[in-house]
Amino acid sequence: MKIAILPGDGIGSEIVAEAVKVLNVLDLPFEMEHAPVGGAAYELHGHPLPDSTLQLAKDADAILFGAVGDWKYDKLDRPLRPEQAILGLRKHLGLFANFRPAICYEQLTHASSLKPELVAGLDILIIRELTGDIYFGQPRGRRTAVDGHFPGSEEAFDTMRYSRPEIERIAHVAFQAARKRGKRVTSVDKANVLETFQFWKDVMIEVHADYPDVELDHMYVDNAAMQLVKAPKRFDVMVTGNMFGDILSDAAAMLTGSIGMLPSASLDKNNKGLYEPSHGSAPDIAGKGIANPLATILSAAMMLKFSLNQPEAASKIEAAVGSVLSQGLRTADIWSEGTQKVGTREMGDAVVKALTDNIAMTKTIKG
Ligand code: IPM
Ligand code: MG
């Protein structure tokens, strides 16, 4: 099992190190190779996604990714900015299906900014299309306007577009995912205004015909944003385009108390995937040893389940995370009165310990 380890920028290297520690406890034949990505790669190779890093990612069975980005690169030409690394990986590897679960751990119900009763037991899966939409649509650029409100003035433009096969394949992913859980899909669009999303909705309805056992409803994106903070538990699987998914998944993440808890998976058509925490590189706390490594550790668990066919090992990691939370250990982002504040490394060590104890116990029972 070849795993490409791409820590990236900011807190990326700190949190990925903890996930690697956890993976190493499992007695599995991993071959891990590290490579720079994002600003770190720009410093070393003059490009955020060097050929060598892209090649390593292509050759691997799965990719564990930290985070990229730092304000100090904001002045660089767009193609050289750290964010281009993750966009490039998504595009070159065809990682069109992004899974962003928003799960509220029972132990963290009080860390949410919403009332506990609104989020207790929350378990939403956002499926975001990841290689199309206005993120990648051509043409885009700057030019002199020939029409519009101010002809002759300077303007910028991007293109929102989706082809039928792009919508069909993400629709299948969503319906199949829903089958394995609450059997309900909410497709989020803006069909009342945008042609692209009227088409999105039409194609969703067509594909739904193959999944009579799954319920489908449709919601405009503005209403979806409102419902997420009003009654988030009404959702099971939410499927949407790249741009809306970017925004809604951050909102959904925060319902759970901290974006520092949430993993994500970005899969290609063969379930090869890139796994990363849902949060960013947090340059403001980088190097301080206080970042929450749990989202990355849970991303490693997702990797074992989706790409490496090791569901048991994945469950053990998830159980270990649950156990450290029950012990009352909290990084600063999820800390509250009466719990014990720990740093990145201590949190990683605690997960390793819980996992080792569990593995030892299983061996005793089996042996
Ligand atoms: C995300 C991030 C990225 C995105 C950025 C870093 C390009 O916000 O994964 O949600 O916009 O997709
Ligand atoms: Mg985002």
Side-chain angles (χ1 to χ4, degrees):
M1 293 178 251
K2 263 180 98 166
I3 309 176
I5 309 279
L6 313 182
D9 306 324
I11 57 172
S13 49
E14 299 165 51
I15 53 181
V16 165
E18 298 312 310
V20 167
K21 234 158 65 178
V22 170
L23 285 171
N24 278 330
V25 175
L26 304 162
D27 212 4
L28 291 170
F30 297 128
E31 240 178 75
M32 301 191 208
E33 202 173 321
H34 284 67
V37 74
Y42 174 77
E43 302 287 352
L44 283 170
H45 302 286
H47 196 280
L49 183 58
D51 288 339
S52 49
T53 300
L54 180 58
Q55 197 53 49
L56 178 71
K58 281 185 176 165
D59 294 341
D61 299 308
I63 302 146
L64 187 64
F65 189 93
V68 290
D70 193 317
W71 304 301
K72 69 181 181 216
Y73 303 112
D74 283 357
K75 295 241 152 46
L76 287 178
D77 281 346
R78 186 168 301 282
L80 295 179
R81 290 195 205 159
E83 291 76 12
Q84 294 304 313
I86 185 67
L87 295 172
L89 283 165
R90 290 171 184 170
K91 182 171 139 191
H92 291 296
L93 299 177
L95 306 172
F96 71 94
N98 185 210
F99 287 68
R100 297 195 166 181
I103 294 170
C104 188
Y105 282 80
E106 189 199 317
Q107 301 93 325
L108 297 181
T109 312
H110 290 272
S112 174
S113 44
L114 293 195
K115 294 188 194 104
E117 63 269 26
L118 287 185
V119 293
L122 181 79
D123 180 357
I124 307 178
L125 174 61
I126 296 191
I127 296 185
R128 168 187 177 196
E129 198 291 328
L130 205 55
T131 51
D133 203 352
I134 198 165
Y135 265 62
F136 292 96
Q138 293 293 339
R140 57 188 279 163
R142 298 202 181 195
R143 65 188 170 195
T144 302
V146 293
D147 49 17
H149 294 297
F150 294 97
S153 68
E154 198 189 351
E155 73 171 5
F157 63 105
D158 297 276
T159 304
M160 178 177 271
R161 55 189 284 187
Y162 266 122
S163 62
R164 171 178 286 279
E166 281 178 294
I167 305 170
E168 284 174 350
R169 65 182 180 177
I170 197 72
H172 284 292
V173 168
F175 291 124
Q176 282 164 22
R179 252 183 193 165
K180 296 192 196 133
R181 34 182 294 147
K183 297 196 170 52
R184 284 188 298 118
V185 171
T186 302
S187 167
V188 175
D189 63 55
K190 190 72 189 175
N192 50 345
V193 178
L194 300 171
E195 205 51 46
T196 311
F197 276 90
Q198 180 63 58
F199 187 48
W200 171 281
K201 184 174 180 177
D202 296 345
V203 176
M204 280 290 155
I205 292 170
E206 282 175 38
V207 175
H208 180 227
D210 294 350
Y211 301 88
D213 52 323
V214 178
E215 222 179 276
L216 170 68
D217 70 347
H218 307 271
M219 200 178 274
Y220 297 141
V221 62
D222 46 352
N223 185 26
M226 184 169 77
Q227 296 302 328
L228 267 179
V229 290
K230 187 179 166 210
K233 283 192 258 182
R234 75 181 294 294
F235 296 110
D236 176 25
V237 173
M238 186 188 266
V239 63
T240 190
N242 206 345
M243 180 83 255
F244 300 156
D246 178 45
I247 301 166
L248 293 178
S249 62
D250 266 29
M254 205 52 222
L255 301 175
T256 68
S258 172
I259 197 165
M261 289 301 299
L262 297 180
S264 82
S266 306
L267 304 182
D268 76 358
K269 57 179 191 308
N270 303 315
N271 284 346
K272 168 171 169 171
L274 179 148
Y275 299 83
E276 59 174 324
S278 280
H279 59 73
S281 53
D284 53 328
I285 58 163
K288 295 188 179 161
I290 59 171
N292 187 346
L294 294 180
T296 317
I297 291 171
L298 291 167
S299 298
M302 270 184 120
M303 171 175 85
L304 290 165
K305 203 182 315 178
F306 286 103
S307 289
L308 301 179
N309 201 20
Q310 300 291 333
E312 275 180 34
S315 304
K316 282 186 189 146
I317 293 180
E318 286 162 0
V321 168
S323 142
V324 299
L325 291 176
S326 296
Q327 290 161 36
L329 304 186
R330 304 282 187 272
T331 41
D333 56 314
I334 50 175
W335 180 84
S336 62
E337 210 63 54
T339 61
Q340 187 190 339
K341 197 181 279 181
V342 296
T344 311
R345 211 172 289 157
E346 289 164 278
M347 189 57 115
D349 288 343
V351 176
V352 164
K353 167 126 197 344
L355 190 59
T356 325
D357 289 352
N358 177 322
I359 292 171
M361 203 169 71
T362 319
K363 279 198 182 135
T364 317
I365 294 167
K366 281 193 185 153

